[in-house]
Amino acid sequence: MKEPTVSLEQWYIFKIVVEQGSFQGAADYLIKSQSSISYAIQKLQDNLGVRLFEQQGRRAVVTDMGKKMLIQADELLMQAASIEQLAGEYSAGWEPLLKVMTTQLFPQQLLTDVLVLFAQQCTVTSIDFQQGTLSGVTDAATYGTADLIISSQIPTGFTGEKLCPAQLSRFVHHQHPLALLNRPLTLAELKSHAQIVMSDSSSLRSVDAGWLGSQQRWTVNNFQESLSLVKQRLGHATLPVNRIQDELANGELVELIIEDHVRLDLSLYLVYANKKTLGVAGLLFAKLLKQQAKQYVIDI
């Protein structure tokens, strides 16, 4: 790429001359001498090899070519100002990137509400969202791969702030054989049908939570895959109640009633990987998250 021969200051002087309508007007506006303005414009024209102004009396009238140059100059100056603003916001403590790890139990609408509010107050920080299961979520705090962690468990050595409740229960498609029994079920009856289980997202260890020992097991790595298999009548699965409200409302899924078992009530926590090193964006996101979580009520 050819190195520019025109400085941002020259483009800015050019813009001001156009706006003020004369070299003297630009000199007064910029608190410079008229000769310095004339020199800057002459050098600009020499470097570009085009004529930008025509003198009409005391007025400097921009040429057609100058008008085209002005459009590009405006964009260039705005980009430069934007870069300086971005640098200023970063120097004020707004981090370029915020990493957030959430459990798949976390209500999607609650997260969306927080993002809407965050976007209104911060335009410079990107957010890298990750979703995990079981120990894969808490590992993000233990090994520092995320700045903020939303988990149903607090990792050893960390403190957590309670956000909101979550409930888990076992569901099947309304036409699944287990649903058609229409009565409380025994664990033995559940084990005779395929169980859909979400795998642990940790690459270092594997926790086998919720496995009943069914004769057939379908293992998936996220909530959507588990829900999809349940909808296809391929088995029963433990699912977060808050994330299947539509399917429950339209009767597509039904909750299994199991002898001596009830819904599993959990609490979701906000865990900081290192609160002392968290930037302005991270603190803002955490604040909004806690505010919105106070308004969240689980639909039982």
Side-chain angles (χ1 to χ4, degrees):
M1 178 183 291
K2 182 181 177 181
E3 183 178 353
T5 58
V6 178
S7 68
L8 282 174
E9 182 183 14
Q10 287 174 293
W11 285 121
Y12 181 63
I13 291 174
F14 166 57
K15 173 181 171 66
I16 297 303
V17 171
V18 174
E19 291 178 349
Q20 298 298 316
S22 68
F23 289 2
Q24 184 60 57
D28 294 341
Y29 182 89
L30 297 171
I31 316 177
K32 293 178 178 288
S33 65
Q34 181 177 347
S35 60
S36 67
I37 299 297
S38 298
Y39 176 77
I41 295 300
Q42 186 58 54
K43 188 173 182 180
L44 175 61
Q45 293 182 132
D46 291 343
N47 287 338
L48 294 174
V50 297
R51 190 171 182 82
L52 301 175
F53 293 100
E54 292 178 350
Q55 201 68 33
Q56 295 182 3
R58 293 185 177 182
R59 292 188 59 79
V61 179
V62 66
T63 64
D64 290 340
M65 180 58 71
K67 291 176 182 178
K68 292 183 178 181
M69 292 289 132
L70 180 61
I71 295 173
Q72 299 297 321
D74 276 337
E75 291 182 3
L76 180 62
L77 291 168
M78 284 191 292
Q79 288 177 0
S82 177
I83 292 172
E84 292 180 6
Q85 180 183 358
L86 187 64
E89 290 176 334
Y90 286 154
S91 67
W94 292 95
E95 52 268 56
L97 178 65
L98 180 66
K99 294 183 179 180
V100 180
M101 167 66 83
T102 69
T103 171
Q104 296 195 32
L105 302 178
F106 191 62
Q108 193 64 40
Q109 186 57 53
L110 180 52
L111 181 60
T112 301
D113 292 343
V114 172
L115 282 176
V116 169
L117 295 173
F118 182 84
Q120 293 171 357
Q121 300 181 52
C122 176
T123 59
V124 297
T125 299
S126 299
I127 302 182
D128 179 6
F129 282 107
Q130 306 169 53
Q131 278 197 335
T133 54
L134 302 172
S135 56
V137 180
T138 54
D139 281 354
T142 305
Y143 299 100
T145 56
D147 304 302
L148 296 173
I149 298 93
I150 301 171
S151 174
S152 60
Q153 295 180 323
I154 302 174
T156 303
F158 291 83
T159 58
E161 300 179 43
K162 189 173 180 179
L163 287 176
C164 63
Q167 280 191 334
L168 292 172
S169 193
R170 194 165 299 277
F171 298 92
V172 292
H173 189 273
H174 72 278
Q175 292 183 341
H176 187 279
L178 288 173
L180 298 177
L181 293 176
N182 196 28
R183 59 172 172 76
L185 305 171
T186 65
L187 285 178
E189 287 174 315
L190 285 181
K191 290 180 181 180
S192 66
H193 292 270
Q195 181 182 355
I196 301 162
V197 180
M198 280 200 290
S199 61
D200 193 333
S201 62
S202 173
S203 60
L204 303 172
R205 49 190 170 147
S206 180
V207 175
D208 221 3
W211 170 235
L212 301 176
S214 298
Q215 63 185 23
Q216 189 173 34
R217 170 173 174 158
W218 303 91
T219 302
V220 298
N221 59 19
N222 62 63
F223 162 76
Q224 289 299 336
E225 290 179 353
S226 180
L227 179 59
S228 176
L229 293 183
V230 171
K231 286 183 175 183
Q232 295 177 56
R233 313 175 201 177
L234 290 175
H236 56 88
T238 298
L239 300 171
V241 176
N242 70 77
R243 299 197 62 178
I244 57 170
Q245 291 299 298
D246 290 343
E247 288 81 3
L248 293 178
N250 63 28
E252 184 176 10
L253 299 187
V254 296
E255 183 175 4
L256 294 179
I257 306 301
I258 306 167
E259 292 180 355
D260 301 322
H261 285 260
V262 295
R263 286 184 176 183
L264 177 62
D265 289 301
L266 301 172
S267 292
L268 300 183
Y269 299 90
L270 172 62
V271 180
Y272 301 89
N274 189 338
K275 193 172 184 178
K276 292 181 179 179
T277 62
L278 203 61
V280 178
L283 293 173
L284 172 62
F285 191 90
K287 175 185 175 182
L288 295 174
L289 190 61
K290 289 183 286 185
Q291 287 178 351
Q292 292 302 112
K294 290 179 181 179
Q295 304 173 32
Y296 177 77
V297 179
I298 194 166
D299 186 1
I300 298 177

